[in-house]
Amino acid sequence: MPKIYFLDVTNRDGVQTAKLGLSKLEKTLINIYLNDMGVFQSEFGFPTTRHESLYLQANLELAEMGVLKPIRLEGWIRAITGDVETTFKLVPSIQHLNLSISTSDQMIDGKFQGRKTRDDIISDMVEAVDAAHSHGIKTIGVNAEDASRTDLDYLIKFGLAAKEHGADRLRYCDTLGYDNPFTIYENIKTLAENTGMPIEVHCHGDLGMAVGNSLAGAKGAIDGGQDAYINTTINGIGERAGNADLIATILAVTKSKGFLEKYQLGKAINLSKGWKIARFASYAFGVPIPLNQPGVGANAFAHSSGIHADGVLKDPENYELYSFKELGRGEPRFVETGREIIAGQYSGISGFRHLMGKMEVTFSSKEETQEILELVRYANVESQKPLVEDQLLFIAKYPKIAKKLLTLTPLE
Ligand SMILES: [Zn+2]
């Protein structure tokens, strides 16, 4: 029976969000946390964007070292041969790609404005797929942007052409969040049945249905006989009203009425990392988690009314669908209320040694301390906010990789 996988796109769709961004070290930590959680794949960035090159290379090195394993790291580019060539020039060791092109008549008329026909879209896409294969790519996903507003027969033709040229997955993008659970189910089921390709379900929240649509889309792919790859972002951060939230979607798949009795995950998810990843993304993006966010919001397990409080104390299952412990919540948090020593971009050696000592990190020499401190200063310059413990530990453990992440060389 086909299965459901999670493919997180925070490091691509998430960072495309207007007014928001992540440092390269923050993006790296997100890949590490996604791997810890058991997420199958991370769309880790933009291989044709020059300032991403060293970050992408460094993360591929971490994969090679076994630090980012078994997660699959995949880059997003446009489905044109020029982007494929640039990708292999800038990030030669990349192994997985998604190639994206608009498929709806709205986009063909409104965006390409007569410069491309439906046939041109397919020929651009297959040429790009062929080019990626000629460079030895391992897997390719082909993205139909605005799939929900695309003529279904044409979408099937698009998918079949991709498959014929050896593409591995077809991404159904509900780019504008236009679908509802009923339409996306039917579309994706038909697509799966007629193309015989695993389907990626990529949903946006413009009508507040990203999570529900993801669930319905995944069901459609499986009922159509194919694996489903649900695209998510942490805390639902993404363009406009955002994407399907990672934690909420995992909860919907694993906890909603009867779903897991019929459908299966392809890879076990360690939900107990959920609280940590949501909090880190909130800090890194500088966007608070809404009070009522499923699973990770401050009120997700809060009860005050008499009947509810009494009921949940007698038996949590009276008013809670799942336990806070499953998400890794419940550990007491220690907040410094007195003197604080913080590592910043102008920090000196003695404060830094004190800070690292509190985390039981010691250095073998003054030179080594200086070197790690220098990297920590640069990491602060890049993120413009104090680093969390895991970032400091990462730099101390992988200084060479950290140096690569922090190296930005603009064009001359
Ligand atoms: Zn998107």
Side-chain angles (χ1 to χ4, degrees):
M1 184 174 175
K3 296 191 164 64
I4 297 172
Y5 297 87
F6 289 95
L7 192 168
D8 191 84
V9 299
T10 305
N11 278 333
R12 199 277 300 170
D13 223 334
V15 298
Q16 264 177 229
T17 309
K19 305 165 196 168
L20 299 181
L22 294 174
S23 77
K24 306 305 182 200
L25 182 58
E26 288 163 348
K27 292 184 85 171
T28 304
L29 222 62
I30 280 178
N31 291 328
I32 289 174
Y33 290 155
L34 289 170
N35 184 50
D36 289 345
M37 267 189 94
V39 169
F40 180 77
Q41 182 163 323
S42 170
E43 187 155 275
F44 73 146
F46 304 89
T48 57
T49 302
R50 294 189 86 97
H51 64 70
E52 291 263 281
S53 300
L54 289 176
Y55 150 75
L56 296 169
Q57 287 171 18
N59 276 257
L60 291 168
E61 275 175 47
L62 287 170
E64 198 109 308
M65 290 157 64
V67 179
L68 277 176
K69 219 174 175 178
I71 198 166
R72 202 191 249 181
L73 301 173
E74 155 264 317
W76 183 100
I77 59 173
R78 293 174 300 173
I80 48 175
T81 51
D83 271 22
V84 175
E85 297 307 327
T86 307
T87 293
F88 284 93
K89 211 161 71 192
L90 297 177
V91 193
S93 57
I94 199 146
Q95 296 179 341
H96 309 281
L97 282 174
N98 269 57
L99 314 177
S100 181
I101 197 158
S102 309
T103 50
S104 66
D105 286 341
Q106 166 67 42
M107 292 290 189
I108 293 172
D109 298 339
K111 205 163 85 170
F112 299 124
Q113 304 197 323
R115 282 178 289 116
K116 278 188 205 298
T117 64
R118 281 186 175 191
D119 286 344
D120 295 335
I121 298 288
I122 290 182
S123 63
D124 279 3
M125 180 271 293
V126 297
E127 276 171 31
V129 169
D130 288 347
H133 279 133
S134 76
H135 285 283
I137 199 80
K138 275 196 185 154
T139 78
I140 297 178
V142 167
N143 303 0
E145 196 202 25
D146 206 18
S148 49
R149 291 192 299 178
T150 302
D151 171 57
L152 199 53
D153 286 331
Y154 174 69
L155 205 54
I156 292 167
K157 195 176 162 196
F158 177 85
L160 286 172
K163 188 185 176 190
E164 202 175 296
H165 285 255
D168 302 274
R169 306 174 301 276
L170 178 61
R171 180 176 295 181
Y172 177 98
C173 302
D174 183 18
T175 306
L176 268 69
Y178 175 54
D179 262 319
N180 60 53
F182 315 105
T183 56
I184 199 167
Y185 173 79
E186 288 300 332
N187 276 358
I188 290 186
K189 183 165 177 276
T190 307
L191 207 54
E193 284 168 345
N194 287 278
T195 62
M197 287 182 92
I199 308 287
E200 291 189 25
V201 186
H202 183 96
C203 299
H204 278 269
D206 299 72
L207 298 176
M209 291 187 282
V211 173
N213 283 348
S214 299
L215 199 70
K219 178 176 158 62
I222 293 169
D223 290 355
Q226 294 298 324
D227 284 335
Y229 292 80
I230 301 180
N231 288 194
T232 61
T233 64
I234 307 162
N235 301 337
I237 298 281
E239 304 238 42
R240 306 179 314 281
N243 294 54
D245 168 44
L246 172 69
I247 305 296
T249 310
I250 292 171
L251 288 170
V253 168
T254 58
K255 308 285 183 190
S256 69
K257 196 170 180 175
F259 198 77
L260 264 200
E261 286 160 25
K262 215 172 153 204
Y263 301 92
Q264 293 165 9
L265 291 182
K267 194 171 181 308
I269 287 286
N270 184 356
L271 194 55
S272 73
K273 306 283 179 187
W275 174 235
K276 188 176 192 180
I277 200 169
R279 282 188 49 217
F280 177 71
S282 163
Y283 178 71
F285 276 117
V287 178
I289 298 173
L291 202 66
N292 57 350
Q293 184 89 351
V296 294
N299 269 7
F301 300 94
H303 309 272
S304 81
S305 77
I307 293 171
H308 280 236
D310 176 58
V312 87
L313 288 169
K314 282 179 175 144
D315 178 357
E317 283 187 31
N318 286 334
Y319 286 106
E320 287 174 359
L321 213 42
Y322 46 87
S323 164
F324 60 85
K325 289 184 185 137
E326 292 179 64
L327 290 128
R329 294 180 72 153
E331 296 271 314
R333 216 193 306 161
F334 296 103
V335 181
E336 195 62 72
T337 57
R339 179 181 301 122
E340 256 191 293
I341 305 291
I342 291 165
Q345 48 193 303
Y346 306 106
S347 282
I349 198 157
S350 112
F352 179 62
R353 219 187 255 129
H354 168 83
L355 187 69
M356 297 305 279
K358 275 174 83 177
M359 293 187 282
E360 284 161 15
V361 178
T362 48
F363 301 103
S364 57
S365 63
K366 196 177 172 197
E367 288 69 37
E368 195 197 354
T369 321
Q370 280 288 9
E371 188 199 330
I372 305 298
L373 170 60
E374 187 70 347
L375 292 168
V376 166
R377 285 179 178 156
Y378 270 79
N380 271 283
V381 170
E382 205 206 357
S383 68
Q384 291 294 314
K385 55 182 162 314
L387 306 184
V388 301
E389 272 193 14
D390 281 352
Q391 286 173 302
L392 293 167
L393 292 171
F394 179 89
I395 294 171
K397 202 165 172 193
Y398 308 109
K400 280 206 180 83
I401 297 280
K403 188 175 177 189
K404 207 167 217 186
L405 290 171
L406 295 167
T407 305
L408 288 175
T409 314
L411 290 173
E412 320 243 291

